[in-house]
Amino acid sequence: MRIPFVAGNWKMNLTRTEAVALAKKLAETPPTGSVEVAVCPAFVYLLPVAQTIGNSHVRLGAQDVYFQAKGAFTGEISCGMLLDVGCEYAIIGHSERRHVIGESDELVNAKLKATVASGLKPILCVGEKMEQRDAGKTKQVVKDQLQKGLAGLSADDLSLLVIAYEPVWAIGTGRTATPDQAQEVHDMIRSWLGENFGKDFARQVRIQYGGSVTAANAADLMAQKDVDGALVGGASLKADEFLKIIDAAGRAGS
Ligand code: PGA
């Protein structure tokens, strides 16, 4: 039984006061049912948010991480620094990092290797663009991202791995994948993991869906066999909306 995992990706949003207030509300509202919850604020707000969530059920994640441990890498943040401020998770290869900032699969792979070696839990994002879906290339694109992102790592290395399937065309657009479209790709991801890392490994890996998840569509998405939670952007910035999504995941997980 995989416990659903709902993570809020706050991206470059909220002020410190807003981030702390949102974290406080979430920490004060334990979920019903079985669901894990995390928030991923901007780097500069990790510490105040960590202090706010304390030992509550809410976990802390970063939106990115660099693969080097220390040194002359201006502007970057290491796994050790994230662990030091209380992070448990790091998002890696988000579509905005790949397509806006220009991160390669090789960089994603280096970040993944550093993350698992440090004990941080990676949330590896994969997903196709609209034109790739239209061209019938969704599975090929996602498999390619998985293969390159996870290259050189074993099932043991990846015991803490979470995958987020986020079709690029659904992120921040209000255009969600249908539950069937999500399930089809999640099923393919799990099969690919089974072929490459073994069936037992594939069975326990959590695969989140991301891309315009809202309180209105969360329950239908979570009801899919291979959808184990959500990576939520816009809807995670409003406490009431995010709590409803957490609730839908908790009900699906019980
Ligand atoms: P969205 O973002 O929920 O605003 O579409 C999801 C994400 O980018 O993780």
Side-chain angles (χ1 to χ4, degrees):
M1 176 75 201
R2 299 179 297 268
I3 295 174
F5 177 31
V6 176
N9 175 7
W10 293 351
K11 309 192 181 185
M12 202 171 72
N13 292 302
L14 306 174
T15 62
R16 176 157 56 105
T17 306
E18 288 166 346
V20 165
L22 180 52
K24 186 165 183 285
K25 181 97 189 272
L26 297 173
E28 286 169 353
T29 319
T32 47
S34 187
V35 54
E36 190 179 336
V37 179
V39 291
C40 306
F43 285 134
V44 287
Y45 302 145
L46 284 170
L47 197 54
V49 168
Q51 285 160 348
T52 304
I53 58 183
N55 290 325
S56 75
H57 65 284
V58 180
R59 319 288 173 97
L60 190 66
Q63 297 173 18
D64 188 25
V65 64
Y66 198 55
F67 68 94
Q68 296 283 4
K70 61 184 284 196
F73 305 102
T74 302
E76 296 297 336
I77 307 280
S78 71
C79 296
M81 290 169 173
L82 294 180
L83 288 163
D84 195 24
V85 294
C87 275
E88 186 173 333
Y89 289 96
I91 298 173
I92 296 179
H94 188 276
S95 85
E96 286 141 23
R97 303 285 330 161
R98 292 177 189 266
H99 303 303
V100 181
I101 314 290
E103 281 190 13
S104 66
D105 286 306
E106 291 66 33
L107 183 55
V108 168
N109 179 243
K111 290 182 174 191
L112 213 75
K113 284 179 172 155
T115 303
V116 297
S118 76
L120 263 181
K121 301 174 182 172
I123 303 174
L124 170 64
C125 301
V126 295
E128 80 288 359
K129 294 182 178 177
M130 190 74 248
E131 62 265 27
Q132 294 168 323
R133 174 165 283 266
D134 287 344
K137 290 187 178 154
T138 297
K139 291 187 180 175
Q140 190 186 316
V141 168
V142 171
K143 278 186 197 176
D144 197 53
Q145 289 172 335
L146 289 170
Q147 190 164 15
K148 291 180 175 154
L150 302 176
L153 290 158
S154 68
D156 274 356
D157 296 329
L158 295 172
S159 60
L160 304 175
L161 175 73
V162 176
I163 290 185
Y165 168 57
E166 298 204 306
V168 180
W169 48 271
I171 297 177
T173 59
R175 225 184 121 192
T176 324
T178 65
D180 286 348
Q181 283 173 327
Q183 170 57 28
E184 191 186 359
V185 180
H186 282 229
D187 176 57
M188 182 279 292
I189 292 172
R190 206 177 297 288
S191 306
W192 185 91
L193 292 171
E195 285 157 26
N196 289 277
F197 295 95
K199 288 231 153 48
D200 288 345
F201 176 81
R203 218 172 285 129
Q204 56 80 37
V205 173
R206 289 180 296 178
I207 308 176
Q208 299 175 313
Y209 168 78
S212 299
V213 175
T214 63
N217 60 32
D220 287 344
L221 287 160
M222 311 287 177
Q224 300 300 310
K225 186 165 129 311
D226 290 293
V227 177
D228 309 315
L231 184 55
V232 186
S236 73
L237 300 173
K238 292 163 255 157
D240 291 349
E241 177 95 4
F242 192 48
L243 285 167
K244 284 182 193 153
I245 295 170
I246 293 167
D247 196 52
R251 271 183 276 122
S254 311

CSV table of all heavy atoms in Angstrom, one decimal, residues 35 59 107 112 137 172 203 234:
chain,number,residue,atom,x,y,z
A,35,VAL,N,-2.2,10.2,4.5
A,35,VAL,CA,-1.6,11.0,3.4
A,35,VAL,C,-0.4,11.8,4.0
A,35,VAL,O,-0.4,12.2,5.1
A,35,VAL,CB,-2.6,12.1,2.8
A,35,VAL,CG1,-3.2,12.9,3.9
A,35,VAL,CG2,-2.0,12.9,1.7
A,59,ARG,N,5.9,18.2,6.1
A,59,ARG,CA,7.3,18.1,5.8
A,59,ARG,C,7.8,19.2,4.9
A,59,ARG,O,7.0,19.9,4.3
A,59,ARG,CB,7.6,16.8,5.0
A,59,ARG,CG,6.8,15.6,5.5
A,59,ARG,CD,7.3,15.1,6.8
A,59,ARG,NE,6.5,14.1,7.4
A,59,ARG,CZ,6.7,12.8,7.3
A,59,ARG,NH1,7.7,12.3,6.6
A,59,ARG,NH2,5.9,11.9,7.8
A,107,LEU,N,22.3,17.2,-16.2
A,107,LEU,CA,22.3,18.0,-14.9
A,107,LEU,C,21.3,17.4,-13.9
A,107,LEU,O,21.5,17.2,-12.7
A,107,LEU,CB,22.0,19.4,-15.2
A,107,LEU,CG,22.1,20.4,-14.0
A,107,LEU,CD1,23.4,20.3,-13.2
A,107,LEU,CD2,21.8,21.8,-14.4
A,112,LEU,N,20.2,14.2,-9.0
A,112,LEU,CA,19.6,13.1,-8.4
A,112,LEU,C,20.6,12.2,-7.7
A,112,LEU,O,20.3,11.8,-6.6
A,112,LEU,CB,18.9,12.2,-9.5
A,112,LEU,CG,17.7,11.6,-9.1
A,112,LEU,CD1,16.5,12.5,-9.0
A,112,LEU,CD2,17.3,10.5,-10.1
A,137,LYS,N,4.2,11.3,-29.0
A,137,LYS,CA,5.6,10.9,-28.5
A,137,LYS,C,5.6,11.0,-26.9
A,137,LYS,O,6.7,10.9,-26.3
A,137,LYS,CB,6.6,11.9,-29.0
A,137,LYS,CG,6.9,11.8,-30.5
A,137,LYS,CD,8.0,12.7,-30.9
A,137,LYS,CE,8.4,12.5,-32.3
A,137,LYS,NZ,9.0,13.7,-32.9
A,172,GLY,N,0.0,25.1,-14.7
A,172,GLY,CA,-0.3,26.5,-14.6
A,172,GLY,C,-1.3,27.0,-15.7
A,172,GLY,O,-1.5,28.2,-15.9
A,203,ARG,N,6.5,-1.4,-7.5
A,203,ARG,CA,5.2,-1.4,-6.8
A,203,ARG,C,5.2,-0.4,-5.6
A,203,ARG,O,4.2,0.1,-5.3
A,203,ARG,CB,5.1,-2.8,-6.2
A,203,ARG,CG,3.7,-3.3,-6.2
A,203,ARG,CD,3.6,-4.8,-5.8
A,203,ARG,NE,4.0,-5.7,-6.8
A,203,ARG,CZ,4.9,-6.7,-6.6
A,203,ARG,NH1,5.5,-6.9,-5.5
A,203,ARG,NH2,5.3,-7.5,-7.6
A,234,GLY,N,-0.3,26.3,-8.2
A,234,GLY,CA,-1.2,27.4,-7.9
A,234,GLY,C,-2.2,27.1,-6.8
A,234,GLY,O,-2.4,28.0,-5.9
